[in-house]
Amino acid sequence: MKLNHLNLTVTDVPAARRFLEIYFNMVCAGSRKDNFAAMFDDDGFILTLMKGSEVHYPKTFHIGFPQENEEQVDKINQQLKEDGYDVKPPQHAHGYTFYVIAPGGFTVEVLC
């Protein structure tokens, strides 16, 4: 069985949308003002973003974007740093990985 979609509540839909487009090549298939966006990855998975005034995810909640190799993980990490995001260098843990807090209040893991 394949997972079709996931909805995230975010405090800033346009900023979260841009983040996902820039760093993870997601494509917005539709949006409504600043309250909703439907994002697609290259496998057809749908990630919807809905505006909420407060976002309270559990501490360990995150979404993950697997990469093909360590070089790609390093490239995204460096681009995020250059763009002003507070990211630590990738580490070898359960793969080669790092985390970043995305605009809108959710955490993203980048790994290979």
Side-chain angles (χ1 to χ4, degrees):
M1 188 174 301
K2 186 175 179 178
L3 181 63
N4 173 267
H5 72 277
L6 174 71
N7 180 72
L8 294 178
T9 301
V10 298
T11 56
D12 188 334
V13 172
R17 173 186 168 178
R18 284 188 302 275
F19 177 85
L20 294 168
E21 289 171 333
I22 292 168
Y23 301 104
F24 303 105
N25 299 317
M26 294 194 80
V27 175
C28 183
S31 62
R32 282 183 257 141
K33 299 186 182 181
D34 292 340
N35 298 320
F36 175 83
M39 309 297 295
F40 285 77
D41 72 6
D42 56 3
D43 286 330
F45 179 76
I46 306 163
L47 180 65
T48 58
L49 307 171
M50 289 186 170
K51 174 124 173 125
S53 58
E54 294 183 32
V55 175
H56 299 286
Y57 289 109
K59 183 178 179 180
T60 59
F61 176 85
H62 63 279
I63 62 172
F65 287 96
Q67 304 301 307
E68 291 185 21
N69 53 50
E70 290 186 6
E71 291 77 22
Q72 188 62 27
V73 173
D74 288 336
K75 180 180 174 183
I76 295 170
N77 183 271
Q78 184 62 37
Q79 185 179 7
L80 287 162
K81 281 182 191 175
E82 289 173 3
D83 291 346
Y85 287 91
D86 182 20
V87 291
K88 294 180 181 170
Q91 297 181 0
H92 289 279
H94 54 281
Y96 189 63
T97 183
F98 74 91
Y99 296 85
V100 60
I101 298 174
F106 60 99
T107 300
V108 170
E109 179 182 15
V110 182
L111 68 150
C112 70

